[in-house]
Amino acid sequence: MPKNAEVCRLLDILTLDMLDLIQQQVQCKVDIEKHKNEGDILLAKARYIQGVSSVSSSQLPTENSGDFQALTTIAHSADESTGAEKFQIEKHPVSKEAGYVNPVHWFGVLVPRCLQMARDMFDKTLQLVVESANIQNELRNCICGILSLKKVKYDIE
Amino acid sequence: MALHAAIKGKLISVIGDEDTCVGFLLGGVGEINKNRHPNFMVVDKNTAVSEIEDCFKRFLKRDDIDIILINQNYAELIRHVIDAHTAPIPAVLEIPSKDHPYDASKDSILRRAKGMFNPEDLVGVPRG
């Protein structure tokens, strides 16, 4: 049976890890907010150039449109140090035959530069989103670890 | 085709306001599958809370979705459903929207982490 001191030491380590992960997660969300706001401004500029209704949800495909595949998907990989699963962004090239369509074309053929810049900005935001999802999963594992160690500690006491 | 389906990555789904959905779909996350089910939902002022909740539960049940992005102000409306989801996949990420900046004190996972700091546990053993 593990000694109480050893369990407390592990709890300390996990608690410090958790604090570090909380800080990373908050920083990541702040970065997401910054990038998303810049993307929103670029979308607003595109609306100013193209017209209000030309860059709106009415241009997005609906259930009645044909089916198509996502250009950005998520792949799983095992983290070398911890062995935990990690998300990774996967990009697919545009190919009409395979069902990968260019989303920019929903908003017209000759779109303003701002719209392309907005796409790049949201692309960067997506990378931060995946980073944040990985931190969140680490944080979840950390919380589970702390809870199970606390149970062991109370059992010893 | 079966091989293609086997190696195909998982999706990021979005529940958000118009700008959030337009932006992330521009980034290439949008998909409408063979059953005509989209992986996104545009929420506006006329959308009922029950519709957001139903859509969120539908996304949770789909095995081709790994990450669900939801604007934090809409996450607040269905907080009980989000708090009840404890599985790592799909990961539910609360993101800020244009009108509602990110508030860490409302984030589900951060509130769970904060709950770990039980005042009774912080009371140390008296020294000396």
Side-chain angles (χ1 to χ4, degrees):
Chain A
M1 185 177 269
K3 285 181 183 168
N4 200 4
E6 180 62 14
V7 175
C8 288
R9 196 183 65 82
L10 287 172
L11 265 173
D12 286 351
I13 292 170
L14 277 182
T15 307
L16 286 173
D17 280 352
M18 188 175 75
L19 283 171
D20 186 39
L21 287 168
I22 290 172
Q23 191 181 4
Q24 284 181 40
Q25 179 70 320
V26 172
Q27 185 56 51
C28 203
K29 290 282 174 94
V30 169
D31 289 344
I32 289 173
E33 183 168 32
K34 205 175 107 190
H35 280 76
K36 195 182 163 296
N37 284 349
E38 283 179 35
D40 286 342
I41 288 170
L42 288 164
L43 281 181
K45 279 185 185 168
R47 276 193 195 111
Y48 180 73
I49 296 166
Q50 274 199 303
V52 176
S53 57
S54 58
V55 186
S56 67
S57 55
S58 56
Q59 265 73 45
L60 298 179
T62 62
E63 287 95 334
N64 301 323
S65 332
D67 57 301
F68 64 93
Q69 314 266 347
L71 286 179
T72 307
T73 53
I74 298 291
H76 289 239
S77 67
D79 187 41
E80 284 172 8
S81 54
T82 59
E85 275 208 3
K86 284 205 136 189
F87 298 128
Q88 265 182 339
I89 277 208
E90 217 178 35
K91 289 275 180 191
H92 302 274
V94 174
S95 155
K96 271 198 173 175
E97 295 78 40
Y100 294 105
V101 296
N102 187 352
V104 173
H105 290 167
W106 295 329
F107 305 95
V109 182
L110 291 169
V111 292
R113 178 97 188 99
C114 323
L115 198 67
Q116 314 231 12
M117 285 162 72
R119 182 195 54 194
D120 295 344
M121 194 51 77
F122 277 98
D123 209 43
K124 282 181 196 163
T125 313
L126 277 172
Q127 296 189 6
L128 290 168
V129 159
V130 171
E131 195 184 318
S132 172
N134 284 327
I135 297 170
Q136 185 165 301
N137 276 348
E138 275 184 61
L139 192 53
R140 194 183 299 274
N141 291 340
C142 205
I143 291 171
C144 290
I146 291 174
L147 285 175
S148 41
L149 275 177
K150 275 187 178 175
K151 198 171 173 293
V152 172
K153 188 185 161 198
Y154 292 133
D155 285 347
I156 293 170
E157 285 169 355
Chain B
M1 193 63 206
L3 181 68
H4 174 76
I7 57 166
K8 192 176 169 286
K10 300 291 185 78
L11 300 173
I12 300 173
S13 65
V14 187
I15 299 175
D17 58 17
E18 187 177 48
D19 279 10
T20 303
C21 287
V22 168
F24 283 112
L25 261 70
L26 257 181
V29 302
E31 177 172 305
I32 291 185
N33 63 15
K34 297 255 181 300
N35 304 318
R36 301 284 166 87
H37 291 150
N39 65 335
F40 55 91
M41 182 196 188
V42 183
V43 181
D44 59 28
K45 60 180 189 304
N46 299 319
T47 310
V49 177
S50 60
E51 285 178 68
I52 302 172
E53 191 175 324
D54 290 346
C55 181
F56 181 76
K57 284 179 179 169
R58 214 167 40 241
F59 287 164
L60 283 183
K61 280 183 194 157
R62 278 177 62 168
D63 58 1
D64 59 343
I65 292 175
D66 260 6
I67 298 177
I68 300 175
L69 294 179
I70 181 165
N71 281 147
Q72 197 172 42
N73 53 323
Y74 300 132
E76 271 296 287
L77 301 174
I78 54 163
R79 182 61 65 197
H80 59 288
V81 190
I82 292 178
D83 284 344
H85 172 72
T86 50
I89 291 175
V92 179
L93 276 188
E94 295 174 31
I95 52 168
S97 63
K98 199 168 58 179
D99 306 317
H100 298 84
Y102 178 68
D103 184 350
S105 65
K106 289 179 182 169
D107 200 307
S108 253
I109 188 79
L110 294 180
R111 281 196 300 123
R112 269 188 75 194
K114 200 178 157 192
M116 292 288 104
F117 295 104
N118 186 352
E120 285 173 20
D121 294 339
L122 294 177
V123 178
V125 180
R127 292 169 193 219

